[in-house]
Amino acid sequence: MATDLRSPLPSPWAAADSVWTANERSLDVARAVLGARDAPVGTTPKEVVWRKNKACLYRYLRATPATQQTPVLLVLPLINRAYILDLRPGASFVQSLLGRGFDVFLLDWGIPGDEDRNLDIETLVTRYLPRAVRKARQAAGVAELTMLGYCIGGALVACYTALYPDAIKNLVLFTAPITFAESGKFGSWTAKNAFPIDELVEVFPTVPGSMPDLGSKMLNPLPSTVGTYVRLWDKLGDESFDVAGWQAMYRWVNEGVPFPGAAFRQWIKEFYREDKLARGTLEFDGRRVLLGNIRCPVLNVAASADAIAPRSTTGSTLSLVGSADKQELLVKGGHVGIVVGRAASNDLWPKVADWLERHD
Amino acid sequence: MSNPPEQPTRLSLAPDPFEFWRQIYEANERAWNASLERAMGTPAFAEAQGKLLETILSAQKTARDSMRTYLETINVPTREDIARLGEMIAALEEKIDQLDDRLEARLERFEAALDRAVARAGVEARASGDGRARSRAKAG
């Protein structure tokens, strides 16, 4: 609002009104942020196929029978909500796969509580994943399926496929860190002399979701904190701006999931610090996890500007697996841009679906 | 907010304070962020962060220990007690899953054996049927 130059001193009411309306967009920013926690997400209909502890295996409902023979099992990272792959209509990797005729399953690890403090990655790979795969195969009535893992979920499915290669027809990794010799800032922040991992998991049975989230934000400190709101303020002036889409993404980013203490310790010590997976020294259930045992076709999708799983952690995956049929898709953008956003839905997802079709 | 065209002489009484600092921020974001990133990438930062975390954890541990002692004194289950119950339930679930695994494996073996037996019986039945037919043909 403005005031008339002819009146030297505006009334207090006019001044208050001026301040109010001049900052109306700031109020819109607050409304968008506060309303984000109720943003509708993960709306594609699905049914529960299997449960174990907090983990849940879902099968997405199809209106028509699947036209592709090989179902796809999506495995999410432990520290994020699973709905990122089905964020909202029109921005859903799940819907994209359903549209291409695939039968889609998703393994949601759920939200661990204090009672899950001893749940480690070994247990997830050797007790949870084999059963989830079996249940998905039984539900779909097939002998083999495609496994697709995102981020830490990718490392988990790589370990699983190395140990139990029989039922896996194809393996797809989305920004999955596998080699940790050069693991970027996360590596230096969690180094042995810098990060008190044992003390952390002793005090916190489950590491609060805000901690990995803070780490991710510190990789790009200003744009991921202050910049988020400044850009929102800018965009709110544009009538075509999709506020609901922004809110769904904001909700996901800020709805971190606690990391079970034992799994976090194993992730930091055996993966980040000792690089056991790439070195072939990782042992689960008394068996070596050798990536060379992976013989099925592998598609490794990596992001060029990924600060969370930098290229040094994703770049040598194909040289470690034993598959003859292997391919890498390097896309422009960051860690999350692979699973949401226009570039992902217009370019990457169709390419992934094409690859899956060729390997059906 | 923009001025209405019919009142060109009006000016904003309260310039938007957000707009003011937004312009400063946008002009400097890249430089400030680069400086922060550089600082956060140093071993000294990682070490300082670790020390800070250790201090926070130490305080948190003291608070938790005190609370546990207090709750035990007044005979109220602690958070650890409840978590232990949850762990026992999860362990029971794991045992049921193991039984389920074994049952399914046995069922699969049983079904395979049954399929083989049915196939064998079919072969034998055909063989004996052929034999009876040959006998009838000879007798005829």
Side-chain angles (χ1 to χ4, degrees), chain B residues 3 20 54 58 89 101 111 127 130:
Chain B
N3 294 329
F20 176 67
E54 268 176 27
S58 172
I89 294 169
D101 292 347
E111 279 173 3
D130 289 350

Side-chain angles (χ1 to χ4, degrees), chain A residues 140-204:
Chain A
V142 295
E144 293 179 311
L145 47 74
T146 293
M147 263 191 136
L148 187 153
Y150 172 45
C151 186
I152 301 174
L156 264 57
V157 299
C159 293
Y160 172 82
T161 313
L163 286 173
Y164 312 94
D166 292 345
I168 305 304
K169 189 164 185 179
N170 308 299
L171 177 66
V172 182
L173 304 173
F174 271 17
T175 58
I178 300 290
T179 313
F180 294 88
E182 295 288 331
S183 47
K185 281 188 189 147
F186 270 158
S188 68
W189 293 341
T190 56
K192 197 174 179 181
N193 54 356
F195 192 66
I197 181 69
D198 290 319
E199 290 85 344
L200 178 71
V201 297
E202 189 196 336
V203 173
F204 291 109

Side-chain angles (χ1 to χ4, degrees), chain A residues 5-333:
Chain A
L5 284 175
R6 283 170 298 180
S7 55
L9 286 172
S11 76
W13 290 115
D17 184 52
S18 172
V19 170
W20 177 264
T21 49
N23 295 299
E24 201 169 355
R25 208 194 294 177
S26 304
L27 290 174
D28 287 341
V29 169
R31 274 188 215 109
V33 170
L34 293 174
R37 73 183 131 189
D38 300 320
V41 288
T43 53
T44 306
K46 55 187 182 285
E47 63 180 359
V48 176
V49 173
W50 169 78
R51 277 182 197 278
K52 179 171 171 59
N53 195 359
K54 315 294 184 325
C56 202
L57 177 69
Y58 294 105
R59 182 185 198 178
Y60 285 92
L61 301 179
R62 295 187 53 85
T64 55
T67 52
Q68 310 288 344
Q69 287 180 355
T70 314
V72 181
L73 171 58
L74 309 172
V75 179
L76 274 293
L78 300 168
I79 52 168
N80 297 124
R81 301 274 179 159
Y83 59 73
I84 185 62
L85 296 184
D86 180 33
L87 193 61
R88 51 197 294 270
S92 162
F93 179 57
V94 167
Q95 283 187 354
S96 146
L97 288 176
L98 290 171
R100 293 288 293 263
F102 289 97
D103 195 358
V104 182
F105 293 84
L106 180 142
L107 181 60
D108 180 355
W109 297 110
I111 301 167
D114 284 6
E115 64 277 15
D116 301 309
R117 61 188 154 191
N118 293 318
L119 189 62
D120 56 10
I121 292 176
E122 178 175 357
T123 307
L124 296 174
V125 171
T126 61
R127 301 278 181 275
Y128 283 64
L129 280 177
R131 289 173 181 139
V133 168
R134 195 178 73 220
K135 296 293 176 186
R137 283 168 45 218
Q138 284 172 352
V142 295
E144 293 179 311
L145 47 74
T146 293
M147 263 191 136
L148 187 153
Y150 172 45
C151 186
I152 301 174
L156 264 57
V157 299
C159 293
Y160 172 82
T161 313
L163 286 173
Y164 312 94
D166 292 345
I168 305 304
K169 189 164 185 179
N170 308 299
L171 177 66
V172 182
L173 304 173
F174 271 17
T175 58
I178 300 290
T179 313
F180 294 88
E182 295 288 331
S183 47
K185 281 188 189 147
F186 270 158
S188 68
W189 293 341
T190 56
K192 197 174 179 181
N193 54 356
F195 192 66
I197 181 69
D198 290 319
E199 290 85 344
L200 178 71
V201 297
E202 189 196 336
V203 173
F204 291 109
T206 56
V207 177
S210 54
M211 184 174 259
D213 177 48
L214 179 67
S216 303
K217 284 179 176 157
M218 277 163 58
L219 291 170
N220 198 14
L222 281 180
S224 61
T225 52
V226 184
T228 303
Y229 305 102
V230 173
R231 279 190 297 279
L232 173 64
W233 196 91
D234 282 340
K235 286 174 183 169
L236 281 170
D238 178 358
E239 280 183 10
S240 63
F241 175 57
D242 177 15
V243 184
W246 184 91
Q247 286 181 314
M249 197 57 215
Y250 184 84
R251 178 179 169 177
W252 180 75
V253 168
N254 290 286
E255 255 187 352
V257 176
F259 211 134
F264 191 60
R265 179 165 46 206
Q266 197 171 21
W267 181 244
I268 297 296
K269 282 189 169 180
E270 298 190 26
F271 287 78
Y272 265 93
R273 290 183 185 168
E274 298 168 23
D275 194 20
K276 283 187 169 182
L277 180 58
R279 288 170 194 260
T281 53
L282 187 66
E283 278 192 22
F284 285 168
D285 245 2
R287 294 170 62 195
R288 281 268 183 94
V289 183
L290 298 171
L291 293 174
N293 287 345
I294 299 176
R295 305 274 176 197
C296 65
V298 175
L299 176 65
N300 185 41
V301 182
S304 59
D306 192 340
I308 294 171
R311 280 297 285 151
S312 53
T313 63
T314 58
S316 52
T317 304
L318 292 189
S319 64
L320 293 169
V321 299
S323 315
D325 180 351
K326 48 193 173 185
Q327 189 186 337
E328 182 165 85
L329 277 177
L330 182 62
V331 295
K332 277 186 187 171

